[in-house]
Amino acid sequence: MAPMKAMKAMKGSKAAVKSMPKSAIAAAIAEEHELKRGVCAKIIDSLAALAAAEVKKTGKFVIPGVAMLKTRVKPATKAGKREVFGKEVMVKAK
């Protein structure tokens, strides 16, 4: 049990990681390419709309060198009885 307590203590000591908001990304791009921040924000919005449309249509969207969005089909869970922690539990279909 000692290693588990040590791991929990380590998790608690970490500071919350904040992601960069859209306005900060737009400001950084605007500064680098000498554009207005509003223009960069509109570009980010159009990229998000394009990504959403492409993922819906093909199931995959790639920003080369940055990220890949991919949909995943998860099989349905069947209803019935399952043994969980030594007890039989009725499970609903999802």
Side-chain angles (χ1 to χ4, degrees), residues 63-84:
I63 302 172
V66 179
M68 177 169 68
L69 295 172
K70 209 172 182 182
T71 55
R72 180 174 74 111
V73 178
K74 190 175 175 184
T77 11
K78 295 180 180 171
K81 294 178 184 176
R82 301 267 161 73
E83 198 160 317
V84 181

Side-chain angles (χ1 to χ4, degrees), residues 25 29 40-55 61-64 66 69:
I25 295 169
I29 292 171
C40 292
K42 288 180 183 176
I43 291 170
I44 292 170
D45 286 337
S46 66
L47 180 65
L50 176 68
E54 195 65 24
V55 167
F61 180 74
V62 179
I63 302 172
V66 179
L69 295 172

